[in-house]
Amino acid sequence: MITQGVTVTTRCDDCGGVLIRDIGQFIDGGQLWWGTEGSCRTCPTAWCEQDTGAATPEAIRQALLAEHGPARLRLAGPGSSSVPVLRALRETHGLSLAQARAMADELRTTGLTGTLVEMELMAAGLGRRSVAVTVESAAD
């Protein structure tokens, strides 16, 4: 399982105490999942939530990117045919053909960026279409 997380300390809205939030993204069953849980050190405020879908809430994405930096997905070689790339991008993201073309152009030039989990999920979709890619994390 590919996962990435971060712990964030904020102020509790209920009592003003210290609120600890554990935030993360992971791939399970070929799907992108996100989760967050939090608890206050002073009062009984606590929660845990998890969900899946095409997009992770932007606050979670930004916390992961701030902590770990962006990962970059690139084509492994210049000879990849456009057809499998477009199919994989459309299947993975539910894109229109025009949107997939724009994303494929970015993949061929500068590479696509996002969280490590997002790029690994996209790499898996491209791999199922026999498109060779590499994922570079900010830690590399």
Side-chain angles (χ1 to χ4, degrees), residues 59-91:
I60 292 174
R61 287 188 78 250
Q62 291 306 314
L64 293 169
L65 290 168
E67 178 72 16
H68 301 288
R72 184 173 305 275
L73 177 70
R74 298 179 188 270
L75 291 175
S80 295
S81 168
S82 293
V83 173
V85 172
L86 292 172
R87 282 185 181 159
L89 293 173
R90 292 187 76 195
E91 289 169 359

Side-chain angles (χ1 to χ4, degrees), residues 25-74:
Q25 262 185 336
F26 58 98
I27 298 170
D28 189 20
Q31 291 187 319
L32 177 68
W33 287 80
W34 59 268
T36 182
E37 62 181 69
S39 62
C40 180
R41 290 187 172 171
T42 307
C43 74
T45 297
W47 77 92
C48 179
E49 62 180 320
Q50 176 176 303
D51 203 355
T52 187
T56 300
E58 197 58 29
I60 292 174
R61 287 188 78 250
Q62 291 306 314
L64 293 169
L65 290 168
E67 178 72 16
H68 301 288
R72 184 173 305 275
L73 177 70
R74 298 179 188 270

Side-chain angles (χ1 to χ4, degrees), residues 83-127:
V83 173
V85 172
L86 292 172
R87 282 185 181 159
L89 293 173
R90 292 187 76 195
E91 289 169 359
T92 305
H93 296 290
L95 303 174
S96 70
L97 185 55
Q99 291 169 320
R101 279 190 182 128
M103 190 176 269
D105 287 344
E106 188 176 346
L107 180 61
R108 280 191 179 80
T109 56
T110 60
L112 298 171
T113 60
T115 68
L116 177 63
V117 175
E118 292 164 347
M119 295 301 99
E120 289 288 352
L121 181 63
M122 193 176 298
L126 288 160

